[in-house]
Every structure is written in structure tokens, then in C-alpha cells.
Amino acid sequence: MRLRSPRPDRMQQKTEGASAVLIMVLILLLLQLWLLNIAMEAFMAANNSLAVPTFLASAFCFALTLYALKALASLDKEGKSGR
Amino acid sequence: MTEEHRIHWREDFPIGQEEDQYVTRREFTRFLALASGAVLIGNGYFVLRRKQQSEQAAEPVEIAGAASLQPGRALLFYYPTPSDPALLIRLQSGQYVAYRQRCTHLSCPVLYSEERNRLECPCHNGMFDAATGQVLAGPPPRPLPRIALHVEEGRVLATGVIGS
């Protein structure tokens, strides 16, 4: 009996793709944490003018994260159809 | 060892290392996306609080007992919400000033010192000028948030919070 080859090259490509998405999402999350910190500092100082801009910037980062997740899902689909 | 024996372990462990790494990274990325949503909700909280505060601060509130306050003395009151302590100070000149009571360093309550005519934070020795709210010494990074006042017919009204 001979087992199917796991096709390491294709799998390696997928892993590299997932790593790239992971790094991007991680950077976006760090940016969001920084924005949250700014919003909190401003709130503690009774300066509310930064609440909306930081929220909008954070929402943009979240949208990019969702887009990255979509790319990850398409990577998954690609892998399944390629089998 | 025969060829058949050699491939048995592959049937026991059918997931390759590369595939395992891929799945782990994908799942971790999903977790990070969840964290990203949580951080966004955190930012939204400050937007909601801002809205609440602007609605509450729209109405002027009379500070009870302010008229009988002697020069060089301070009075504790709550503004704009019952959970926001503030200090009304009557300076030696007779002028009224008011600040939020939270230190801009780590939110400890500041106290008015009559002898030195300044506001002092007992936690980390932060000091603020009583007339302006500016930082005189210590770790506070910003002046104290000031409360806008309106004096009419002996009554003192708090009309809003001026951010530092």
C-alpha cells in the first residue's frame, strides 16, 4: 500500500501565507491597543475630543483585520479545491 | 524492517507538521481578530461616555453652600455626574475656581491645602496651582480639568468641564 504524498511545497506556501496574515493582524491589533490607550488617557484628562477619531481609526483597523481573515478563508478554500 | 512496517506510523499520525503549523496559525489569527473586535468595543465605550457627559453637562447645576464659602476654603461637590467628585475653591481674592478632584497622574483624589494655596495629591506628591490648575511639581502629566463656573446673584453654577 502506498500513501498519498502530502505535497509539502503547497502546504509550505499555505503556511507562509497564514504567517503573513498573522503578522499583519498582530500589527493591526497592536495599533488598536495604542489607540485605546490614547483614548483612555484623553478620557482620564477629561479631554473627549479624541474619543471619536480613535474609535474611527480602530474601526478601520478592525475592517482590515476582517479583510485579512477573508483572505485566510480563501487560502483555506484554495487548499481544499487543490486536493 | 519491511516497507509495510515503515509506513504504519504515517497512518497513526496522518497530520503533517506543515499542516499542523498552518492550522495553529490560522486559529491564532482568528483569536486575534476576536481580540481586535473587543478593543474596538473598548474604544466605543469612550465614545458613549463622551455622549453621556455632553448630555449631562448641558444643564448648569447649582453648587449648594458655595455662597457661604469663605476665601481660602474649598468645598467638595459632584459634577457632571454624582460619581465625579470636584472641588470648588474660593481664592483669597474672592474669585471662585473649580477642578475635578482626580489627579491626572493615576486618578487619586487631590486635596486643597489652605496654607500653601495649592492642590496636592497625597499618593505621589503631585501639586497643582489653585488659581490655574497647572502642574507645579510631581508626576502628573497634565493640568487638572477645570469646571466652568457661572456666578449670578450669589449663586455659583457649574456649567461644564473644560478639558486640559
Side-chain angles (χ1 to χ4, degrees):
Chain A
M1 184 187 145
R2 191 165 174 84
L3 288 175
R4 278 192 306 171
S5 162
R7 290 194 291 183
D9 287 351
R10 179 81 197 104
M11 204 60 235
Q12 196 178 347
Q13 271 182 358
K14 273 181 72 176
T15 308
E16 280 169 6
S19 300
V21 171
L22 172 63
I23 289 166
M24 185 184 142
V25 170
L26 197 61
I27 289 168
L28 286 170
L29 181 64
L30 288 174
L31 190 64
Q32 276 187 295
L33 286 171
W34 179 67
L35 289 166
L36 182 69
N37 185 44
I38 286 177
M40 194 168 65
E41 284 245 348
F43 177 75
M44 297 297 274
N47 177 8
N48 288 328
S49 61
L50 285 174
V52 173
T54 50
F55 176 74
L56 291 176
S58 188
F60 180 68
C61 289
F62 183 60
L64 283 179
T65 301
L66 288 182
Y67 183 74
L69 272 191
K70 202 180 156 195
L72 200 64
S74 69
L75 205 67
D76 254 354
K77 274 183 195 166
E78 215 175 275
K80 277 172 193 164
S81 62
R83 266 177 205 171
Chain B
M1 194 181 281
T2 64
E3 183 67 23
E4 202 171 321
H5 277 100
R6 210 173 287 155
I7 59 171
H8 268 317
W9 67 270
R10 284 184 182 240
E11 287 168 0
D12 291 338
F13 304 101
I15 299 167
Q17 192 187 9
E18 285 284 349
E19 196 168 348
D20 181 48
Q21 279 180 354
Y22 170 72
V23 171
T24 316
R25 278 165 211 194
R26 187 189 61 192
E27 293 308 310
F28 186 53
T29 309
R30 283 180 182 167
F31 169 75
L32 289 183
L34 197 68
S36 169
V39 173
L40 180 66
I41 290 169
N43 255 308
Y45 168 78
F46 294 115
V47 176
L48 284 178
R49 283 297 300 262
R50 175 183 183 262
K51 205 180 164 200
Q52 275 179 351
Q53 281 183 355
S54 62
E55 280 167 6
Q56 282 164 345
E59 263 188 48
V61 174
E62 184 179 351
I63 304 168
S68 57
L69 192 67
Q70 297 299 310
R73 304 301 297 267
L75 177 72
L76 179 71
F77 67 104
Y78 295 90
Y79 185 82
T81 69
S83 56
D84 291 317
L87 279 177
L88 174 73
I89 301 164
R90 193 163 187 192
L91 302 172
Q92 292 295 346
S93 61
Q95 187 198 348
Y96 289 100
V97 286
Y99 304 100
R100 289 183 93 167
Q101 209 198 3
R102 284 192 298 184
C103 179
T104 53
H105 177 220
L106 290 174
S107 297
C108 285
V110 292
L111 305 168
Y112 177 60
S113 166
E114 288 174 35
E115 303 85 46
R116 299 181 191 93
N117 191 35
R118 66 190 183 198
L119 292 143
E120 296 176 350
C121 176
C123 294
H124 304 97
N125 291 324
M127 291 168 198
F128 303 88
D129 184 33
T132 62
Q134 294 292 324
V135 181
L136 295 174
R142 291 173 298 273
L144 282 176
R146 195 166 178 155
I147 292 170
L149 298 173
H150 179 68
V151 184
E152 60 171 25
E153 297 163 10
R155 295 190 315 155
V156 181
L157 305 165
T159 56
V161 180
I162 305 163
S164 52

